[in-house]
Amino acid sequence: MGFADIIFLFYLILGVLGLILLWQWLLGYITTLDVAPEKRGLITLAIVSLIGLIWLSYAFKLNHWRQIPPSSSAPASSNHGSVLAEDLLNQPVENLSEEQKLARFEQENFPELYDNRISLYRDIKGLDAFFIKIQKLAPLVPKQIPLLNRIYQLRQNTHQQYSQRYLEVSQQLRHFWVHYTTGNSEDALQKFQPVVNRLIKTIQQTRGDDLDNQAKQEQYIIESMRAAETLLKSNKLPAAQLGITSYKLDNRQRIMEWLNKNGSTNLLETLRMLSNQRAHILQQIQMVKNYIQRYPDLPLARTLQLWQTALQHNMYAEYRLLYAAEIPATLEPLAITPPEKPHARLDATIETQIPNILRFVNTMVTQAEQAYAPTAPKTNKR
């Protein structure tokens, strides 16, 4: 459990205790006021509910913050570029540092070890670049942070293993180099040859062990895609405590730009249709609110409620489609290829569910449009 997790846990515990204490204090305080007994509980409930909603909103923000991969934890860039330069063999010896002389000697006498060590080094530098990319990307795709965080942790583990192995191999080389340059060079060279073979095998084994992490990464992506499929198949609005919110304009625009290059025409048209429909719904809601103010005696509360429900379903329909499309769109700048079969299944689910999603949202809009239910005027009986 990290520092952010501890802060989040304390926030939840203190928040619950605070709401309980507030409830008890308000019940005692309201008894001192000139308020009807039957209204005391309602007033207390209203105040505690309002503060509870504020507390929940900050809980969601805190939870979002703790899931962002820590920017300070990216491994520092190593300064070995000059040691492992490709043109060491072409440099005069007098121009080389001691480390460069060792690298040149390794390249001339142990080329297989040199090649494997360079490959390991390049893997480490590639991970350094990956950490920079993912940290820049995470704030742009807040709904994909749980997936990015899991991938980040896997790559972090790989980086630690690679760095440790690279350090061990480098130390062995330095140890040999000191004996070679200060003692019997032929004897040092003969004794080090078996060590070279072990070091090559160790590097290859370390790089091969990363296949397990690659399999885990693929499984994490598959799980995210399956979760998106589950959302697509259900029109039921999620509970408020799940913290699902609609996409912000810039996030939506980013996904739409990606879809213009990589998505299906059907999905793009559906998203545009939902956007136009939402504008119509918002217009109708505002119109009903205006009529409620102008004609407070008219029974328009149910009409307003139905339009607001239609708006929620419209936004949730768009959310599910954008969320499904955002998974591969998020992986692309990280140079991660989604698993082929699960990706194809997700695309097929999107295409299959689009008619069902649109049909359901249109039904909600129709119910709001047909909400008017006139009542017969009352007549005086004679």
Side-chain angles (χ1 to χ4, degrees), residues 56-99:
L56 274 177
S57 68
Y58 280 100
F60 291 142
K61 292 180 181 178
L62 190 60
N63 182 52
H64 168 76
W65 165 75
R66 77 185 180 93
Q67 290 179 326
I68 297 179
S71 59
S72 61
S73 61
S77 177
S78 303
N79 188 25
H80 296 294
S82 59
V83 177
L84 296 175
E86 297 284 350
D87 60 348
L88 286 177
L89 292 176
N90 301 322
Q91 295 291 328
V93 176
E94 58 271 16
N95 293 343
L96 301 178
S97 67
E98 198 65 28
E99 290 287 320

Side-chain angles (χ1 to χ4, degrees), residues 61 120 130 134-135 152 157 162 225 235 266 272 279 284 298 325 327 334 337 368 380:
K61 292 180 181 178
L120 183 62
F130 176 83
I134 199 171
Q135 287 163 8
Y152 181 91
N157 294 339
Y162 282 11
M225 289 183 168
N235 291 311
N266 188 27
R272 293 189 183 107
Q284 296 303 104
L298 293 182
I327 296 175
L334 298 176
T337 303
N380 294 326

